[in-house]
Amino acid sequence: MRFRSIATGRLLWWSSLLTLLVLVAAGCAENYPQTTLEPRGDFARMVDDVFMTTVRWAILVFVLVEGALVVAIIKFRGKPDDPEPKQIHGSSVLEVVWTVIPAVILVMVAIPTIKVIFETAKEPANALVVEVIGHQWWWEFRYPEYGITTANELYVPVDRTIDLRMVSDDVIHSFWVPQFAAKRDVFPNRETRMWFNAEVTGEFPGQCAEFCGIQHGRMGFRVVSVEAADFDRWVAGMSAATEPVPVEGDSVALAGQQLFLTKACIGCHSFNAADPPPGQIGPNLANIGNRTMIAAGMLQNTDENMARWIRDPQGYKEGSLMVMAGEITEAESAALVAYLRAQQVVAPSTVAADNQ
Ligand code: CUA
């Protein structure tokens, strides 16, 4: 009876382990765009290499230590009438061996780590500078080379180093786009830098990684990496966006245009990407009609979501600065959506979603 229960226990143990392994394997097959384990840029690849180096050493240590343990358990198993084993307490040889081996392993991990710290801290050459400004709770991106300002969607050309110069407008945030680069804190009154080179085209989600208030978890953004020609097209479109896209002939959108003024959206938002008026506290809305997401990566940019967001910004993002002047009816939100949807200055990018 006892034998059978041990056998059943073992069977249970092995089948649980197998189930776990299958689940882990199935999990790995999924696509997690915010994983750090599938780098798509050189910066992230270097960081991943350090991580994998550490993992390999850890596996080696695990196998050697557990192997020795298993061998010891099997080979030196005590029997009831065995004499007292030989005592080895205070063995200098053993003390030296198990001090030196871990020290050597730590050095082997430290060398690539320090190398990568220095490599990633280098000033990149011929890079495209992007100024990143963290706001509670959205991201502003400025391209000084082109004079463009945008929000929550960081367009980058593939295979070109992007040199991020980051500050915060309020509290401490952290810029994190897992598949391209690492995390880096974004401070008020102090510039931090990071660079990355997108190796593939696609849309990659990023996230604020430093608790920065009630909506910290909804402070997302997208990196849209596109071919050089697509990027030039985007730059041309955004550079030409100094005025809202006219909506003459569309009575609903025209009503929306009027509401944009009277419901005071205009007080915080501008459609001027090339030369935005100073002191605007809301995200720049040039090309909003063609963006993938709204509300800083929180909602898909559909008409329904946009209408909901306009009618109840505090319901979606409590504490955000977005407040409408008075109630917004369904008809009013529909008109505003029609007007915002018309704000397309760059044709939708043809990014092949390599990461999807
Ligand atoms: Cu910004 Cu968390």
Side-chain angles (χ1 to χ4, degrees):
M1 273 314 283
R2 187 163 166 268
F3 173 76
R4 183 173 293 170
S5 77
I6 289 173
T8 317
R10 274 189 192 159
L11 192 70
L12 248 171
W13 194 87
W14 281 109
S15 54
S16 316
L17 185 70
L18 196 69
T19 314
L20 187 70
L21 285 175
V22 168
L23 284 175
V24 167
C28 293
E30 287 291 322
N31 174 40
Y32 295 107
Q34 263 178 229
T35 177
T36 54
L37 299 176
E38 285 173 25
R40 295 286 179 267
D42 49 1
F43 192 116
R45 203 169 288 286
M46 281 190 250
V47 175
D48 187 60
D49 283 345
V50 170
F51 173 71
M52 288 315 291
T53 303
T54 314
V55 167
R56 273 183 221 111
W57 279 106
I59 290 173
L60 183 71
V61 170
F62 178 82
V63 168
L64 291 181
V65 171
E66 295 305 306
L69 185 68
V70 169
V71 167
I73 288 172
I74 294 169
K75 199 166 170 210
F76 303 107
R77 180 191 293 241
K79 288 167 203 77
D81 45 0
D82 274 355
E84 180 84 354
K86 190 183 157 208
Q87 298 300 303
I88 52 163
H89 173 76
S91 160
S92 302
V93 175
L94 274 179
E95 295 283 351
V96 168
V97 166
W98 65 46
T99 305
V100 168
I101 292 177
V104 168
I105 292 173
L106 286 180
V107 168
M108 298 307 282
V109 172
I111 290 170
T113 305
I114 293 167
K115 214 173 122 219
V116 164
I117 288 173
F118 278 94
E119 269 175 33
T120 52
K122 265 190 213 156
E123 182 101 354
N126 302 320
L128 170 64
V129 172
V130 179
E131 293 168 0
V132 176
I133 301 155
H135 298 265
Q136 281 177 316
W137 291 278
W138 58 281
W139 296 93
E140 185 174 346
F141 301 117
R142 292 186 189 161
Y143 298 69
E145 195 176 312
Y146 306 111
I148 295 171
T149 295
T150 188
N152 300 326
E153 280 192 3
L154 174 60
Y155 262 76
V156 299
V158 74
D159 288 331
R160 175 150 182 217
T161 303
I162 311 301
D163 182 359
L164 304 170
R165 315 270 172 103
M166 308 187 284
V167 290
S168 167
D169 192 39
D170 34 56
V171 300
I172 301 174
H173 303 276
S174 178
F175 183 93
W176 186 39
V177 49
Q179 286 185 284
F180 286 144
K183 286 175 190 163
R184 191 133 300 171
D185 278 3
V186 179
F187 302 96
N189 306 323
R190 188 185 127 192
E191 186 186 80
T192 43
R193 293 192 180 183
M194 187 164 60
W195 54 265
F196 68 89
N197 192 331
E199 291 169 350
V200 293
T201 58
E203 286 198 25
F204 297 83
Q207 172 64 42
C208 178
E210 174 76 37
F211 181 69
C212 56
I214 185 171
Q215 296 298 343
H216 152 69
R218 291 179 180 143
M219 186 170 165
F221 60 98
R222 298 240 146 183
V223 176
V224 184
S225 82
V226 293
E227 297 293 344
D230 277 336
F231 183 73
D232 292 344
R233 220 158 42 86
W234 181 81
V235 167
M238 294 296 271
S239 305
T242 53
E243 297 281 326
V245 174
V247 289
E248 267 82 59
D250 180 341
S251 59
V252 180
L254 270 174
Q257 183 176 30
Q258 197 55 36
L259 287 163
F260 198 83
L261 305 174
T262 56
K263 293 295 181 181
C265 315
I266 191 81
C268 300
H269 297 284
S270 164
F271 298 109
N272 186 343
D275 187 19
Q280 293 226 303
I281 57 170
N284 191 287
L285 293 183
N287 204 37
I288 186 71
N290 258 340
R291 290 193 199 156
T292 325
M293 310 292 283
I294 55 170
M298 184 184 166
L299 300 165
Q300 292 281 344
N301 187 3
T302 62
D303 287 356
E304 296 73 33
N305 282 342
M306 206 185 253
R308 288 189 196 123
W309 170 241
I310 290 168
R311 275 207 302 279
D312 189 16
Q314 292 300 314
Y316 281 94
K317 221 172 190 175
E318 188 189 350
S320 88
L321 294 179
M322 179 142 153
V323 185
M324 308 297 288
E327 284 286 303
I328 306 289
T329 65
E330 292 227 2
E332 285 173 332
S333 65
L336 276 165
V337 169
Y339 179 55
L340 291 170
R341 188 61 67 211
Q343 302 305 316
Q344 306 187 3
V345 296
V346 188
S349 83
T350 49
V351 291
D354 292 357
N355 62 325
Q356 297 302 306

